[in-house]
Amino acid sequence: MPGSASVSCSGPWPKDVGVIAMELYFPAQYVDQAELEQFDGASAGKYTVGLGQARMGFCSDREDINSLCLTVVQRLMERNGLSYDSVGRLEVGTETIIDKSKSVKTVVMQLFEDSGNTDVEGVDTTNACYGGTAALFNAVNWVESSSWDGRYALVVAGDIAVYATGSARPTGGAGAVAMLVGPNAPLAFERGLRGTHMQHAYDFYKPDLVSEYPVVDGKLSIECYLSALDRCYAVYRNKIHAQWQREGSEKRFTLEDFGFLVFHSPYCKLVQKSLARLMLNDFLSHRGPNTETGPFAGLDAFRDVKPEESYFDRDVEKAFMKASSDLFERKTKASLLVSNENGNMYTPSVYGCLASHIAQHSASQIAGQRVGVFSYGSGFAATLYSLRVTQDHTPGSALDKLVSSLSDLKLRLDSRRKVSPAVFSDIMKLREETHHLASYVPRGSVDDLFPGTWYLTRVDEKHRREYARSPLDRDLPAEPELLARANATTEHIPSPVKKMPRIPAAAAGPEAAVSN
């Protein structure tokens, strides 16, 4: 069974370490991007066509990074029937900082109190949108190391992406993803196949510690993203070619060797351009591409393109977006569901894309595929790596359970409440004014939250934050089917370890108010 120490250890490493289960949380309200265009006085299509965005989720002052992570962790544990003593490592990747010392992970540990489990390694990992990926790598490394004790690792990536009024604001969003990591996973990491690039740049950063807003150099940020993609892909290809050569194969790696690809998505149009960029890399690395027929037809004029000079070359971009349109439809488009409907979640962004792809396919359709994952965080840090989907897609298999658990994603997106741009603007102003206040009681309505959402009740005079959880059985419009799925208790993932003796908790249970 997934995560079981007794059956998963083979040779020096446990077998097929990777993602066993996923849970995704986003706020219960959104603003329509077409309406936001009109409200901002932007040209029609600037946000919807130019950026490729339809809706943007956002948080009221009732939610912060702590509440997002509390919500997504408890949902994952409940929906998969997991005990808190089955987790031996918990790490949070985030760039949404509300305390310069105390980690979000320590706040989430309050969910573990009733279990008595305090033997949980890991803290927070921070570097812009890359923090979630770094936390995931740390979790995989822990399971594959001598430190592993047979329990699951739990990785949480969460952020609230907000911008000051202006051109960057429509690229915001909010949400959190929780991932259960262990052996015998349906999404297993391919060992040795990571291409990483890290470099210093001030493309996006947050030097004002009392503000949620970043400083952004938009053009530099795009250049950093695309240059990192070029370099990560080159390193990845070199590593997989070396593996194949050791196996006696001289085959060339191309994008067709990925079953599907997911990217960090600041906005959807950049993802489409990124896939075109990888096709440019395939084209330039080919010794003798056929430019008469096939995918490279009509591209002969671009044989001498220098990648480092083409980041903003409109002719190159247009030609390769057209040439890669079929690839995009087959391998990447489905991954943009959450990005298009909810916006940029920062650290969870690429994993929201992974969940989106899985949610829109059956287990048999994705079984055995290689998944390319490109993660980017400004400053900057990036990795392209691959996961291998298990071949076992039989009913009740780990893959079948993973796919089933994400099948309500579109339903949940559609059940959110639309808010007018004027109200959205007022809420952003309220967050701006109250972001770092002490002695503050939030004004947002708790009734507007999804059932089972953790929310902020107050910040006391010492900046200590208190939380409560909305009831799971509260009725909301368009929610009955969602509630039925959220409360389902059948077909759970079994716990990998024997339940520990219960130690009395120092505080009330998870349904009561929580303070930190």
Side-chain angles (χ1 to χ4, degrees), residues 65 69 92-96 125-135 156-161 175-177 179 264 344-352 375-377:
I65 185 57
C69 292
V92 176
T94 184
E95 63 171 270
T96 305
T125 300
T126 302
N127 188 90
C129 301
Y130 189 80
T133 293
V156 186
D159 275 303
I160 298 172
V177 171
M179 293 173 280
H264 167 59
N344 183 9
M345 300 185 290
Y346 286 167
T347 54
S349 172
V350 68
Y351 300 104
S375 179
Y376 175 84

Side-chain angles (χ1 to χ4, degrees), residues 22-26 52-53 133 157 175-179 187 225 260-272 274 328 331-361 366 371-376 385 387 402 406 409 413:
M22 297 181 73
E23 183 58 48
L24 178 63
Y25 171 75
F26 39 77
Q53 301 300 121
T133 293
V177 171
M179 293 173 280
L187 304 180
Y225 183 106
F260 58 96
L261 289 109
V262 299
F263 299 80
H264 167 59
S265 179
Y267 52 92
C268 293
K269 187 55 71 72
L270 183 58
V271 170
Q272 191 171 359
S274 296
F328 177 74
K331 298 182 182 292
T332 299
K333 185 177 181 180
S335 72
L336 295 179
L337 172 64
V338 172
S339 293
N340 176 259
E341 293 278 323
N342 185 57
N344 183 9
M345 300 185 290
Y346 286 167
T347 54
S349 172
V350 68
Y351 300 104
C353 291
L354 179 60
S356 294
H357 189 95
I358 294 170
Q360 296 178 89
H361 291 84
I366 63 173
V371 186
V373 181
F374 177 67
S375 179
Y376 175 84
Y385 66 94
L387 303 167
L402 175 63
L406 295 171
L409 203 49
L413 287 165

Side-chain angles (χ1 to χ4, degrees), residues 63-124:
E63 296 188 271
D64 62 15
I65 185 57
N66 292 338
S67 69
L68 263 60
C69 292
L70 285 164
T71 298
V72 78
V73 168
Q74 189 154 21
R75 279 184 61 90
L76 181 136
M77 300 299 283
E78 289 175 345
R79 295 186 77 181
N80 291 285
L82 294 163
S83 61
Y84 284 94
D85 51 22
S86 69
V87 175
R89 184 179 183 91
L90 168 61
E91 188 161 352
V92 176
T94 184
E95 63 171 270
T96 305
I97 308 301
I98 56 176
D99 190 286
K100 292 186 291 183
S101 177
K102 183 174 175 60
S103 69
V104 176
K105 181 265 180 75
T106 60
V107 178
V108 177
M109 283 303 299
Q110 292 171 103
L111 296 175
F112 288 68
E113 287 178 355
D114 270 2
S115 72
N117 179 20
T118 60
D119 180 19
V120 183
E121 295 186 9
V123 283
D124 289 4

